[in-house]
Structures are given as structure tokens and as C-alpha cells.
Amino acid sequence: MNEEKNNFKALEENVRVPDGLEFKVEKRTQGNLGLVRMLFNVVDLYVSKFFDVLVHATKDETLSVGEKNGFALGNSPEHADDENENPEKEDKKDDE
Amino acid sequence: MYLKNQSDVYFKVLHGRYLKKVYGKAVSLLKDDALAEDAVQEIFLKIFLNLSKFSGKSKFSTWVYSITYNYCIDLIRRNKKHKNIFTEESEKIPDVVEEVSDKVLLEMEFNRLGRVLDVIPIDDKAVLLMKYQDNLGIKDISGIINKSESAVKMKIKRAKAKAKKAYSELFPAEI
């Protein structure tokens, strides 16, 4: 190959690099870490949101079962019967 | 030095040394200044992240050029217009290739050479740049474009013939 004249090299020499084309190691790596953190936060948000929705959904279902039967939560028909029976027992005791 | 000390100062030296070469290749292959600027950032990021993998089996410059060409070629491949770059299809064309001497190519007036390189297919341009601009050997080129050494030799021969043909079409009665 002719080392004296090689216009491929001349082409390379004539390249003008635009000003400010610097490689910022810190910025690039921080940028990538920032992106990973952001993605993690988005996933975390969706997961926690999903569990929130799940908890609310199960709570709502419990409420609606109770409401269907006309009882407030923690006041089941059994409890209601107990409440009805208790006065009778108390009356009997009084009679005795 | 950078590999030993992991200091940003040494990486900046590397960056300074190869910026012009990497940018030159990126802008020449991608033909778009903005794309080339983005490519340069990505290429240096790849170099930065993979420095520890550099084994020293080849020259450092060869390793840098290999990352540069592979990144640009991948980017061009993603463009549908150049899907068949360095694929078997482009190698199968059975034609009689004219033998063109290196001198004819190397002594083309450099502005004209630039225009010739812009009209020949991108894969031909890439192998010519690897051979005549970066002085890469056949073995190195075959490693970069993932072809056998004989295929690389044929590719260069064809690329030279195409460049000469393009020159005679662009500048008739000059060659």
C-alpha cells in the first residue's frame, strides 16, 4: 500500500468534531442509575397499588355480604340471636 | 493506565485520542450529524463499560474500531433500507470482478473520494474504511464483520471495483 498518499487518511483528517461533544462519565452512569431507580419506583407503585386495590376489593366483598343480610360488620345473625336469648335468660333468673 | 487506575482523567485521555476517529466513522457511515453525535456517546459508553473485557490480544485501536463499526452497522441494520448489510444475500452475487489497484483508490482526490464512498453500498464503504483508513488486517476485518477471511478479501475486491465504477460515473473521462 502506498504510505505516501492515502486520501482515506486525508478524509479522516478533515473531519470536524462539533464543539461540546464531550463524554460525561458521571452524567451517563448517573443517568442510567436514575432510569433504573425510576423504573423501580414505577413498578413499586404499581405493585403497592395492586395490593391496595386487592385489600379494598376483599373488604368491600365482606361488607356487601353483611349488608345483604341486613347486619353490620361484626353483628352476625348468631350474635343477634344471642342478644335475643339473653333477655329471656335474665328474665328466668329474675323469676327464680 | 485507565485499566490500572480506573481514573476518569485517563478515560478522558482515551476519549480525546479517539473522539475524532470515532465521530468520523460514525458520521461517514450514518450520514447524519445528529445520529452520529448520539452514536459517539453510546460507543464511548460501551467502551467505558467494557474496558475490563479488553484482553489485549488485538491493538486497542482495533478494539475501539470494532465497537464503532459494530454499533453503526447495527444501527443501520435497524433501518429497513439496509436490512441486508453484510448478510449472505449480498455475498452471493456471482460476477466477474475487475482487479483495481490500491493506488487508483488511494490517490483519488479526497473530496471526490468522499463522494464516491457516499454512493457505494454502506457495507462496501465500511470495509474500505477498515482497510485503507484504519489499516486493519484481513483477520481483524473478518472478526468485525463476522465473515471468513476469503469472504473479506472478495468483499474488498468488489468494493474497490464498485468505487472505481462510481468514480467513472460521477466524474467521466477522469479515470
Side-chain angles (χ1 to χ4, degrees), chain A residues 1-3 5-18 20-26 28-29 32, chain B residues 8 11 15 19-21 23-25 37 41-42 44-45 48 105-110 113-114 117 132-133 135:
Chain A
M1 189 172 25
N2 186 355
E3 290 294 326
K5 186 150 181 153
N6 180 349
N7 281 332
F8 279 87
K9 296 278 183 193
L11 272 179
E12 191 176 39
E13 290 303 314
N14 264 4
V15 169
R16 282 187 186 175
V17 180
L21 192 58
E22 286 175 27
F23 182 68
K24 305 279 186 200
V25 177
E26 301 84 2
R28 292 302 307 222
T29 46
N32 285 346
Chain B
D8 289 352
F11 190 78
H15 182 260
L19 176 64
K20 193 173 177 180
K21 288 171 187 292
Y23 177 76
K25 277 168 222 332
E37 285 180 30
Q41 295 296 324
E42 294 304 321
F44 275 103
L45 182 64
F48 180 71
L105 210 62
L106 299 177
E107 293 188 358
M108 280 180 190
E109 196 268 317
F110 83 90
L113 177 62
L117 291 176
Y132 297 109
Q133 196 170 72
N135 293 333

Side-chain angles (χ1 to χ4, degrees), chain B residues 3 47 49-56 63:
Chain B
L3 286 172
I47 293 169
L49 295 174
N50 292 293
L51 265 176
S52 57
K53 291 178 191 167
F54 174 64
S55 58
W63 185 70

